[in-house]
Amino acid sequence: MPDERIYLDYAATTPVDGRVRAAMGPYHSEKFGNPSSLHSFGQETRAALEKAREQVAALIGALPGEIVFTSGGTEADNFALEGIAFANENKGNHIITSAVEHHAVLHCCEFLKKRGCEITVLPVDGSGLVSPEAVAGALTPRTVLVSIMHANNEIGTIEPVAEIAEAIKSRVAGRESRVYFHTDAVQTAGHIPVNVNDLGVDLLAISAHKLYGPKGVGCLYVRKGTRLAPLLHGGAQENNRRASTENVPGIVGFGAAAELARSEMAEESKKLLPLRDKLMNGLLTRIPDVRLNGHPARRLPNNVNVSVKYIEGESMLLNLDLLGIAASSGSACTSGSLDPSHVLMAIGLPHEIAHGSLRFTLGQQTTEAEIDYVLEKLPPVIEKLRAMSPLYPGGKK
Amino acid sequence: MTGPYSAKVMDHFMNPRNVGEIPDADGVGQVGNPVCGDIMKMYIKVKDKIITDVKFQTFGCGAAIATSSMATELIKGKNIDEALALTNKAVAEALDGLPPVKMHCSVLAEEAVRAAINDYLIKTTGQGLPGFKPHDESLHKEVHGN
Ligand SMILES: Cc1ncc(COP(=O)(O)O)c(C=O)c1O
Ligand code: FES
């Protein structure tokens, strides 16, 4: 293994930025008051909480009062879906979503289906795109919520969220009850511009650990006037929308990370785009029988996802790990479940091609030397595994 | 840095024994399921009921490759009956164990050995192993759960 390990799994999680850690520091032991307390200990953490709320709101063009802090992306997605479903039962029970959503959305929809909701799961095209016309076409008078992610965590495809919002709006114009629109922006917030008004969404989920903030904290943006039932019942925190004493250090870190992302994201994607393209094109040109998964252009600036024919993903990951390279795969063998990733199946890949998927996600620390190292080390690994594969036609020569 | 695997699994995964094909094999067995994509192919040479040579090709995870490799080592030089007595548990034990979710990958290895011997018996005696059933949905479930 080389001296330095190479981390290319930023979509799974990111390291906490040193400046974020410094901002959080005092909120563990020095400034520990309960933000709901009247005394000065409480006042200083209350102020920190509200500052973080402003920082996060500014990242997405929202009002501070529209930010509800949560324990992460999963809770934010569950809150949006269950919160809308339960608060609007008298209006309807139909939810529209897509086949490539994160499990935080899809498994929540399955739960709601058992509770009597009607769920429409829209298919995607071969590059992972949801069609705005298909969303509009699926609307019924009973529809209360549409949930389509901003960008996909596996294949990096950026969905036409603003166009979907437009399509919904023109289809339900004149209708009395509202159709709310939620987007999971866990993979985009802090990485590409996200503005709730430009996107036309009512709800939007963010997770701090994907943008160099701490794990276990995130938020749901809730547009003013949205009818939403709380998930947690108890105290009056978060304007009665989420009971429980706030995770002050985490929220402070989230705020700091959001502010840094706002000022640095343009620079970061300017740095990552050429590295992403170098890796993507390098893999596609240097290795035969490799295909790109996801959209070639409407794509996150840090995501490379390929399928390597004739071999399986876990065996590649193990070899890469021994070379000090951390990546991920959508193979069933890495998940212990029956099927490969639902996203790769949804874009129409045959099972054995989905099994051979590899995802590299780049970030702050990624250098060109690291990309060169991967491009040098991966081809021999693939050759070695292909030589072992009964599916590889080259092996018969 | 071996992830969930024992040093022995990693050794057989990184340096697999008996990889390849035997063009004039006396028996060839392929198991696995096209749906899940895990496929194991085993070739044997047999002389006087003794397995004189064995080779494998595997499409699958690290455990699938390591169990194929270990299975070939365990049956090489053995007679047919000894080879048929090989269980997936014995293969896993010889590898110092497998993570529980990977235990069933060793089933592929056991099945591949049986399939190769079955093929050899059909070719030489016209009759395969009694009750031998080639891989099916149930093997897929064994390997990957539900
Ligand atoms: C698109 C998407 N949604 C939701 C989540 C869940 O976020 P968290 O880990 O903060 O619960 C993730 C992270 O894995 C994600 O990538
Ligand atoms: S072959 Fe798929 S988990 Fe082992």
Side-chain angles (χ1 to χ4, degrees), chain A residues 11 72-74 77 102 104 149 151 153 184 186-187 207 209-210:
Chain A
T74 301
D77 283 331
H102 192 269
M149 72 201 315
N153 47 302
D184 175 335
V186 168
Q187 291 293 337
S207 178
H209 75 97
K210 310 282 190 185

Side-chain angles (χ1 to χ4, degrees), chain A residues 326-359:
Chain A
S328 83
S329 168
S331 164
C333 303
T334 55
S335 68
S337 75
L338 183 70
D339 285 314
S341 132
H342 66 283
V343 175
L344 300 176
M345 301 315 290
I347 61 171
L349 294 192
H351 277 77
E352 67 275 16
I353 307 293
H355 269 281
S357 81
L358 265 187
R359 181 189 73 178

Side-chain angles (χ1 to χ4, degrees), chain A residues 1-8 317-326 367 369-374 376-378 381, chain B residues 1:
Chain A
M1 199 189 301
D3 303 341
E4 299 277 331
R5 290 183 296 164
I6 296 175
Y7 186 75
L8 291 170
L317 290 187
L318 285 169
N319 273 286
L320 288 175
D321 191 37
L322 288 168
L323 293 163
I325 301 167
T367 64
E370 292 183 338
I371 299 302
D372 290 336
Y373 182 77
V374 173
E376 177 200 327
K377 295 292 178 187
L378 185 56
V381 164
Chain B
M1 188 76 57

Side-chain angles (χ1 to χ4, degrees), chain A residues 1 5 310-312 314-315 318-319 321-322 332-333 336-338 351-352 355 384-385 388-391 395-396, chain B residues 1 5 10 13-14 16 19 21 34-36 38-39 41 57-62 65 102 140 144-146:
Chain A
M1 199 189 301
R5 290 183 296 164
Y310 315 122
I311 54 178
E312 184 279 326
E314 193 219 69
S315 60
L318 285 169
N319 273 286
D321 191 37
L322 288 168
C333 303
S337 75
L338 183 70
H351 277 77
E352 67 275 16
H355 269 281
K384 182 184 120 176
L385 290 169
M388 263 187 247
S389 169
L391 302 177
K396 301 233 150 55
Chain B
M1 188 76 57
Y5 296 128
M10 286 308 287
F13 168 62
M14 291 303 288
V19 177
E21 290 171 277
V35 172
C36 80
D38 302 321
I39 295 168
K41 197 166 182 181
Q57 293 173 309
T58 292
F59 170 87
C61 70
I65 290 170
K102 296 290 183 178
H140 176 63
H144 280 287
N146 278 306

Side-chain angles (χ1 to χ4, degrees), chain A residues 251-294:
Chain A
I251 291 169
V252 166
F254 183 14
E259 184 167 324
L260 288 169
R262 192 158 70 99
S263 61
E264 293 174 7
M265 85 170 98
E267 206 179 306
E268 182 169 323
S269 60
K270 213 171 104 196
K271 177 195 115 172
L272 293 184
L273 262 172
L275 295 180
R276 178 200 75 178
D277 289 344
K278 181 170 193 184
L279 179 57
M280 200 155 82
N281 297 331
L283 295 175
L284 292 172
T285 54
R286 288 186 200 193
I287 310 167
D289 292 324
V290 171
R291 60 155 279 157
L292 180 70
N293 296 322

Side-chain angles (χ1 to χ4, degrees), chain A residues 94-140:
Chain A
H94 179 228
I95 296 174
I96 300 169
T97 187
S98 85
V100 294
E101 300 298 307
H102 192 269
H103 283 149
V105 167
L106 285 178
H107 288 174
C108 191
C109 283
E110 281 169 28
F111 169 77
L112 287 169
K113 194 171 175 180
K114 287 193 199 122
R115 288 280 181 289
C117 284
E118 246 183 87
I119 310 290
T120 299
V121 180
L122 294 172
V124 295
D125 71 10
S127 60
L129 287 175
V130 176
S131 139
E133 294 73 37
V135 174
L139 291 164
T140 76

